[in-house]
Amino acid sequence: MAINTLETGTQNLGQSPTKMKSRSNYGKNPDGSRQGPVGTWISRLVMLIVLLLFSLPLYWMLISALKSPEELAQFPPTLFPNELRFQNFVDAVTVMPFWTFFRNTAIITISVVVFSVVSNFIVAYGFSCIEWPGRNKVFFIVLATLFLPFPVTLIPMFDMWAGLGFVNTWVPLIAPALFAGGFFTFLLRQFMLQTPKDMMDAARVDGASEWSIAWRIVFPTARPAVTVIAIFAAVGTWNDFMGPLIYLQDESKQTLSIGMQVFRSVNSQDIQFNLLMAASFLVLLPLVILFFMFQRYFISGITLGGFK
């Protein structure tokens, strides 16, 4: 069938920019000229300095999590713990229901990521790959929602969920992902506009439905942009503080962001900063792993298009 041929050609087109790139192009400026050795070393030095600056907070969090309370009180502070106390991580997850908060956060995050990817892809496909009257005008209305500040919609949204009886449940945190957001739709639409129309027209002539074209031709080529949306949605949901604070009341349904604040407020008179840093590092660790696992798609989704 022609649609299978289109899938193969689409995959080859999506992979060709990376595979066909010559090694001789590395180290060249955008105008084609090569950078001198002095400029190369300066660029590397600047990148190394920036890397150290961005890594310093993470390093300080980790070494603080491995120190004893007495060593944390020392001045000047030590740059490396005199004694590595891995027991701090065990204590950090036992002084509060850490794994309950972790489970709740993981369930909400995974649900939001799945629903965000599906809903935004469908809406972006309609705005980029299907011709219909008034398409651009409706898209401008969708973009206009980006200018609505969060406090404006806070009270009406709370009244709506309270009227439906969904306060103190995860529904207000997950259900909005079923409806596409303006930024994610814009990002996916701009990426999917690069899909050759001849491919989709050929698939339609061959008898393929719009669902087949969307999921078997367009979706594989838009995978980098979809991955970027998934990462953004995961990071935003994992770190969300206002949503759980407003809608969740029972401790058994709270998330990590609220749990960390509860831990600080309960121990406000005598905060054990080593345990706080250990818990914070455990909260941050899944996001770091997520980025390193999908950094190739994340970078390509921002800098490259699906077709050249």
Side-chain angles (χ1 to χ4, degrees):
M1 296 295 290
I3 191 169
N4 295 328
T5 305
L6 288 172
E7 291 180 14
T8 305
T10 301
Q11 294 175 358
N12 293 334
L13 282 172
Q15 297 173 356
S16 59
T18 302
K19 290 187 175 181
M20 297 180 61
K21 187 174 182 179
S22 174
R23 294 181 62 89
S24 61
N25 293 330
Y26 290 101
K28 287 187 177 181
N29 295 323
D31 58 357
S33 61
R34 287 192 174 275
Q35 197 173 23
V38 177
T40 301
W41 282 107
I42 292 177
S43 300
R44 293 177 179 177
L45 181 61
V46 171
M47 292 176 63
L48 181 61
I49 294 175
V50 173
L51 174 63
L52 293 176
L53 289 177
F54 277 89
S55 302
L56 183 60
L58 183 62
Y59 171 75
W60 195 258
M61 179 189 300
L62 180 59
I63 64 171
S64 299
L66 294 172
K67 290 181 180 180
S68 62
E70 294 77 13
E71 188 174 358
L72 277 175
Q74 291 182 6
F75 186 83
T78 56
L79 297 179
F80 192 81
N82 297 326
E83 179 185 359
L84 298 178
R85 294 174 58 93
F86 292 99
Q87 183 64 29
N88 291 340
F89 290 94
V90 179
D91 296 338
V93 300
T94 54
V95 295
M96 63 176 176
F98 180 87
W99 296 117
T100 300
F101 297 151
F102 187 92
R103 179 202 62 196
N104 298 341
T105 308
I107 293 175
I108 296 173
T109 301
I110 293 174
S111 302
V112 169
V113 168
V114 173
F115 293 152
S116 296
V117 168
V118 174
S119 63
N120 285 279
F121 176 79
I122 293 174
V123 174
Y125 179 83
F127 279 123
S128 59
C129 301
I130 301 177
E131 296 286 346
W132 47 280
R135 183 182 70 173
N136 293 333
K137 295 180 180 178
V138 176
F139 180 68
F140 291 150
I141 297 176
V142 173
L143 287 182
T145 60
L146 294 174
F147 299 96
L148 288 176
F150 177 73
V152 173
T153 61
L154 177 60
I155 296 178
M157 290 292 291
F158 182 83
D159 289 340
M160 182 187 71
W161 293 119
L164 294 174
F166 288 131
V167 174
N168 199 29
T169 66
W170 294 341
V171 174
L173 305 178
I174 297 176
L178 292 169
F179 307 93
F183 174 72
F184 290 163
T185 300
F186 169 77
L187 182 63
L188 266 178
R189 175 183 177 272
Q190 298 305 113
F191 196 95
M192 292 161 61
L193 282 174
Q194 303 176 61
T195 306
K197 295 185 181 298
D198 294 340
M199 277 191 173
M200 293 183 289
D201 292 339
R204 293 187 180 100
V205 171
D206 194 53
S209 64
E210 291 296 336
W211 286 106
S212 298
I213 297 173
W215 296 110
R216 301 179 65 182
I217 296 178
V218 180
F219 185 81
T221 61
R223 193 171 300 164
V226 171
T227 305
V228 172
I229 288 178
I231 293 176
F232 283 166
V235 173
T237 307
W238 189 270
N239 294 327
D240 185 22
F241 179 78
M242 288 297 297
L245 179 65
I246 294 171
Y247 294 109
L248 301 181
Q249 300 170 359
D250 294 344
E251 184 180 279
S252 60
K253 300 177 182 179
Q254 292 288 1
T255 59
L256 282 171
S257 57
I258 302 299
M260 296 296 295
Q261 184 63 30
V262 171
F263 174 77
R264 292 186 58 185
S265 61
V266 170
N267 301 277
S268 59
Q269 300 299 326
D270 185 19
I271 299 179
Q272 296 178 315
F273 286 100
N274 53 348
L275 301 186
L276 181 61
M277 291 296 103
S280 300
F281 182 80
L282 293 176
V283 172
L284 180 63
L285 187 60
L287 298 180
V288 176
I289 296 175
L290 178 69
F291 175 77
F292 279 106
M293 288 178 60
F294 298 99
Q295 61 175 330
R296 180 168 63 92
Y297 295 103
F298 179 77
I299 296 173
S300 62
I302 294 179
T303 59
L304 298 177
F307 295 90
K308 292 292 183 181

